[in-house]
Amino acid sequence: MAERTTLIAGNWKMNASSEMAVNLIDGLLTWPGKPGVEMLVCPPSPYLGPVGAMISESDIRLGAQTCHPNASGAHTGDVAAEMLADLGCSYVIVGHSERRADHGETDADVHAQAEATHRAGLSAIVCVGETEAERDAGKTLDIVGAQVANSVPDGATAENTVVAYEPVWAIGTGRTPTSDQVQEVHAAIRSGLKERFGDAIASGMRLLYGGSMKPSNAAELLALADVDGGLIGGASLKAEDFTAIADAAG
Ligand code: PGA
């Protein structure tokens, strides 16, 4: 099996102030680090510059929460992947279920955003996940498989693409699937990637779990064979919790 660096990614969503960002980053900067574990913070776009400056001397990486498919132009309010690269980002989250729901983003939109991310030289964290109704109807693997197939672009490699499995019903709810359920979906994602991209790329690509990951369940989730990290919302807003999750990895 390929060695995969564990990625512990904090998705701050629309939560921050200058004061909060300083306090949170100050806390994260005290984390001594752990071999084989990469820490990433994804603040709201107005805070990317200041947060980037605060972590520039550290190993903590910077990421954004979305991008526009185009490199520039008449798209009021949007941000290009090239701008994110210019600000020092390494990653862009694309296709988060909240973007899919709030902004009607489709797999085709997410695909275009992931391509833009690659064009700018950054890594895309492509989010997929079923709703509770879809799980109850036994459609989880079909839904997630289709989202991965249609959202991940052909140019994906182990270096430029991460897939995050986030069951919609587990996000921000305190509910998580069982370990068996998580591993089943991750294994299915990896086998779909293998069919399309071949063994080397698929076995090197990181698959994150997201949805109510916290210090008390992180060790169990991160120990699963095909879980290579976490995409963490609520618990990424407290330095103590986020570093505890990073410590639980590996
Ligand atoms: P949560 O969010 O950890 O608060 O459930 C995860 C996410 O939406 O990325």
Side-chain angles (χ1 to χ4, degrees), residues 58-249:
S58 80
D59 290 331
I60 303 174
R61 317 291 291 276
L62 185 68
Q65 299 176 14
T66 187
C67 69
H68 191 277
N70 293 3
S72 64
H75 302 287
T76 301
D78 279 314
V79 175
E82 281 74 4
M83 298 171 186
L84 302 174
D86 186 33
L87 280 172
C89 288
S90 308
Y91 290 89
V92 184
I93 300 169
V94 296
H96 190 281
S97 60
E98 288 152 14
R99 304 274 326 160
R100 291 177 186 260
D102 291 356
H103 298 271
E105 291 182 1
T106 63
D107 286 339
D109 294 323
V110 178
H111 185 278
Q113 293 165 1
E115 278 190 325
T117 300
H118 294 165
R119 182 188 65 220
L122 306 181
S123 297
I125 300 176
V126 179
C127 300
V128 297
E130 83 286 2
T131 63
E132 186 160 30
E134 289 162 347
R135 176 162 282 275
D136 289 347
K139 292 187 188 152
T140 299
L141 296 184
D142 288 346
I143 295 287
V144 169
Q147 286 176 333
V148 173
N150 297 321
S151 302
V152 174
D154 285 341
T157 66
E159 289 71 39
N160 70 16
T161 303
V162 175
V163 176
Y165 168 57
E166 299 203 303
V168 176
W169 53 273
I171 295 176
T173 59
R175 297 169 58 203
T176 49
T178 64
S179 291
D180 285 351
Q181 288 172 327
V182 173
Q183 174 55 26
E184 180 192 26
V185 177
H186 280 234
I189 293 173
R190 198 175 306 282
S191 96
L193 292 168
K194 220 168 254 185
E195 262 172 45
R196 181 168 165 206
F197 295 102
D199 233 5
I201 289 178
S203 57
M205 202 178 276
R206 276 128 6 126
L207 308 183
L208 311 186
Y209 169 77
S212 298
M213 190 182 275
K214 47 188 181 251
S216 58
N217 62 20
E220 185 177 340
L221 289 163
L222 294 170
L224 296 171
D226 286 294
V227 173
D228 310 307
L231 182 54
I232 298 122
S236 75
L237 300 174
K238 281 192 201 147
E240 208 182 300
D241 287 354
F242 194 52
T243 55
I245 292 171
D247 277 329

